[in-house]
């Protein structure tokens, strides 16, 4: 890369960093740390390709200044626990908004494939969910308790088991990004196929409405969190597949840091979803309108926290 192209591509970022350094007290430690990683990567690139250039000297001085500002106040405040979810996670989600859209489209597309496949072949769901699960569900339907699968154990045990399983699944979806974004997309595809074939199966039994209300009572948060974890995994895969001006290692480290931040941010959502599935979903006798309102509120929260609020926060900080 020519030196003038390197400067042109990064000039705005360096100028923004100088503005941040002019008012360090107003910056969060996470923002300064992220900028420091970016800056040192640029410095390493410049030292390798333009060792005697003035731009290398400029980046070295800027890095030294930022380093001193960061390590002058190393201690973390307890407020970091709050700002992590109110600022760091939303801002990271804004950075990876395109990955979030891709993750959502993969799940939606695979769910549609699952629906079409089940409608074309009523035995398809057995391949996806297994004969044992299908036979158990058919028996529950015959006995008039189609959603009895959610009433199969003690509430606390189900809550813990479901929450741990969901968190584990989200980390798997994220880590598969190591094998490029294809690994994560394959995991999302499998989840979408299961969801689509499951709902189509209940439609064939004449119980689609009851199934949707029961599944999405907890599934709105659960499935959304898996989609978000998918965005983190795709970002991880793309970070070393398309490193840009960074070395592949540095780009991978940056992608892993952003992705892990997103995945950790989904843990409280999985806890709430697990609580709902363990304690509330089993109560199918609850009025349908009450369950529908609960689902819509969950959906509104997901859209606000992962889509609307990150955009507003980014614009506010930019201003």
């Amino acid at each position: 890369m020519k030196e003038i192209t390197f400067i042109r591509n990064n000039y705005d970022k360096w100028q923004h960093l100088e503005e941040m350094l002019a008012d360090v007290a107003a910056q969060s430690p996470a923002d300064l740390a992220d900028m420091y990683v970016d800056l040192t990567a640029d410095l390493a690139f410049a030292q390798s390709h333009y060792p005697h250039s003035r731009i290398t000297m400029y980046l070295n001085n800027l890095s030294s200044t930022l380093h001193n500002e960061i390590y002058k106040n190393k201690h973390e405040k307890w407020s970091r626990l709050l700002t992590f979810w109110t600022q760091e996670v939303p801002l990271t989600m804004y950075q990876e908004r395109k990955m979030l859209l891709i993750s959502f489209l993969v799940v939606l597309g695979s769910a549609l494939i699952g629906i079409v496949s089940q409608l074309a072949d009523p035995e398809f769901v057995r391949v996806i969910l297994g004969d044992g699960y299908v036979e158990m569900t058919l028996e529950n339907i015959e006995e008039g308790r189609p959603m009895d699968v959610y009433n199969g154990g003690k509430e606390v045990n189900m809550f813990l088991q479901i929450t741990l399983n969901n968190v584990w699944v989200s980390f798997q979806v994220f880590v598969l990004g190591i094998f490029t974004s294809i690994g994560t997309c394959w995991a999302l595809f499998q989840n979408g196929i299961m969801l689509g074939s499951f709902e189509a199966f209940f439609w064939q039994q004449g119980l689609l409405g009851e199934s949707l209300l029961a599944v999405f009572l907890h599934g709105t948060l659960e499935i959304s969190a898996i989609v978000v974890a998918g965005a983190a995994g795709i970002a991880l895969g793309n970070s070393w597949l398309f490193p840009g001006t960074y070395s592949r290692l540095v780009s991978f480290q940056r992608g892993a840091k952003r992705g892990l931040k997103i995945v950790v941010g989904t843990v409280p959502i999985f806890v709430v979803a697990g609580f709902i599935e363990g304690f509330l979903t089993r109560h199918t006798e609850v009025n349908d309108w009450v369950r529908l309102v609960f689902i819509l509120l969950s959906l509104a929260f997901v859209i606000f926290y992962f889509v609307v609020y990150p955009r507003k926060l980014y614009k506010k900080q930019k201003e």
Side-chain angles (χ1 to χ4, degrees), residues 133-205:
Y133 186 87
V134 174
E135 291 298 332
M136 176 192 68
T137 303
L138 289 172
E139 290 178 6
N140 291 338
I141 292 174
E142 290 179 1
E143 295 173 0
R145 303 191 305 272
M147 296 292 110
D148 207 41
V149 66
Y150 296 111
N151 194 27
K154 294 183 178 180
E155 288 91 339
V156 175
N157 292 340
M158 283 193 66
F159 161 61
L160 294 175
Q161 181 180 355
I162 291 167
T163 300
L164 291 175
N165 178 71
N166 288 340
V167 172
W168 172 242
V169 169
S170 72
F171 273 95
Q172 282 184 312
V173 170
F174 166 61
V175 171
L176 282 172
I178 294 176
F179 304 103
T180 75
S181 48
I182 296 175
T184 293
C185 287
W186 174 247
L188 294 172
F189 180 82
Q190 290 178 310
N191 280 275
I193 287 285
M194 285 191 290
L195 176 63
S197 60
F198 180 83
E199 293 302 341
F201 168 72
F202 272 92
W203 181 82
Q204 291 170 328
Q205 307 304 315

Side-chain angles (χ1 to χ4, degrees), residues 21-210:
L21 287 174
D23 189 15
V24 175
Q27 314 302 325
S28 72
D31 290 340
L32 292 175
D34 289 342
M35 190 62 73
Y36 183 70
V37 172
D38 285 349
L39 187 60
T40 52
D42 291 342
L43 175 61
F45 184 88
Q47 288 174 332
S48 299
H49 295 82
Y50 328 111
H52 305 296
S53 171
R54 292 177 61 186
I55 192 62
T56 304
M57 184 181 302
Y58 164 79
L59 291 176
N60 184 64
N61 292 336
L62 195 60
S63 298
S64 299
T65 303
L66 180 56
H67 179 276
N68 292 336
E69 290 294 342
I70 290 175
Y71 288 95
K72 183 172 64 176
N73 297 295
K74 288 179 59 178
H75 63 280
E76 292 280 1
K77 298 180 180 180
W78 283 104
S79 59
R80 173 73 186 277
L81 295 174
L82 178 62
T83 58
F84 177 78
W85 275 281
T86 59
Q87 295 187 30
E88 294 182 39
V89 173
L91 287 174
T92 306
M93 286 306 309
Y94 182 80
Q95 292 177 335
E96 305 301 343
R97 58 194 182 281
K98 293 182 180 179
M99 304 304 106
L100 180 63
L101 177 60
I102 293 173
S103 180
F104 171 74
L105 292 177
V106 170
V107 173
L108 178 62
S110 57
L112 292 175
I113 293 174
I115 292 172
V116 173
S117 300
Q118 177 61 24
L119 295 179
D121 179 9
E123 298 300 311
F124 178 76
V125 71
R126 294 181 179 272
V127 178
I128 302 301
L129 299 178
D131 288 330
Y133 186 87
V134 174
E135 291 298 332
M136 176 192 68
T137 303
L138 289 172
E139 290 178 6
N140 291 338
I141 292 174
E142 290 179 1
E143 295 173 0
R145 303 191 305 272
M147 296 292 110
D148 207 41
V149 66
Y150 296 111
N151 194 27
K154 294 183 178 180
E155 288 91 339
V156 175
N157 292 340
M158 283 193 66
F159 161 61
L160 294 175
Q161 181 180 355
I162 291 167
T163 300
L164 291 175
N165 178 71
N166 288 340
V167 172
W168 172 242
V169 169
S170 72
F171 273 95
Q172 282 184 312
V173 170
F174 166 61
V175 171
L176 282 172
I178 294 176
F179 304 103
T180 75
S181 48
I182 296 175
T184 293
C185 287
W186 174 247
L188 294 172
F189 180 82
Q190 290 178 310
N191 280 275
I193 287 285
M194 285 191 290
L195 176 63
S197 60
F198 180 83
E199 293 302 341
F201 168 72
F202 272 92
W203 181 82
Q204 291 170 328
Q205 307 304 315
L207 294 165
L208 178 61
E210 178 58 35

Side-chain angles (χ1 to χ4, degrees), residues 188-244:
L188 294 172
F189 180 82
Q190 290 178 310
N191 280 275
I193 287 285
M194 285 191 290
L195 176 63
S197 60
F198 180 83
E199 293 302 341
F201 168 72
F202 272 92
W203 181 82
Q204 291 170 328
Q205 307 304 315
L207 294 165
L208 178 61
E210 178 58 35
S211 173
L212 290 174
L213 288 173
V215 170
F216 282 92
L217 190 66
H218 61 271
T220 302
L221 295 177
E222 183 180 300
I223 297 169
S224 298
I226 290 176
V227 170
V228 172
I234 295 172
L236 175 64
N238 286 350
S239 67
W240 71 266
L241 197 60
F242 308 106

